[in-house]
Amino acid sequence: MSPFEIRSVPTHDQELDAVTRPDAMDRPVTMDDISECIIFFMVNDRVGIIARRHLALADQRDGGSKHPACIVYSKLHNQAVDFAKLGKPASMAHAPKLKGRLDFMYRQCQL
């Protein structure tokens, strides 16, 4: 195989293909509905948290991003990205926990 050929990595997951439709309303949308939706999104948006934890776990665990804990975070990340479209937040209740903080994730001191 030449270095320019694309290698096929099996990443297909039936669970990720399940299309969920947003909840339909049986009445016209009001400004209160819109403001509730925006506030609900702001409170439950976890894309950044999930992405950082996935990166940290991939760095900590043997197998990198193919470790089962990282696969859980990959699925959570998919749900979190779709949250804006579908209105169903990603639940981190059963997400794997981190072991400390990695050195490259600390903030630099501003002097």
Side-chain angles (χ1 to χ4, degrees), residues 72-105:
V72 170
Y73 273 103
S74 295
K75 291 177 182 179
L76 281 173
H77 193 266
N78 183 53
Q79 293 171 1
V81 168
D82 286 346
F83 170 52
K85 175 174 53 173
L86 302 174
K88 295 182 178 27
S91 173
M92 295 180 58
H94 302 292
K97 304 296 181 206
L98 292 175
K99 300 175 191 170
R101 190 175 255 215
L102 302 175
D103 60 346
F104 65 85
M105 297 183 102

Side-chain angles (χ1 to χ4, degrees), residues 27-61:
R27 59 180 172 74
V29 177
T30 65
M31 289 302 290
D32 288 336
D33 294 329
I34 294 171
S35 62
E36 274 185 39
C37 180
I38 291 171
I39 291 169
F40 184 71
F41 177 78
M42 290 169 51
V43 169
N44 292 292
D45 181 29
R46 292 185 171 78
V47 174
I49 293 168
I50 292 170
R52 286 189 301 274
R53 287 187 181 181
H54 181 268
L55 176 67
L57 276 173
D59 191 61
Q60 288 177 347
R61 308 283 169 98

Side-chain angles (χ1 to χ4, degrees), residues 58-72:
D59 191 61
Q60 288 177 347
R61 308 283 169 98
D62 292 335
S65 62
K66 294 184 181 180
H67 188 275
C70 291
I71 302 295
V72 170

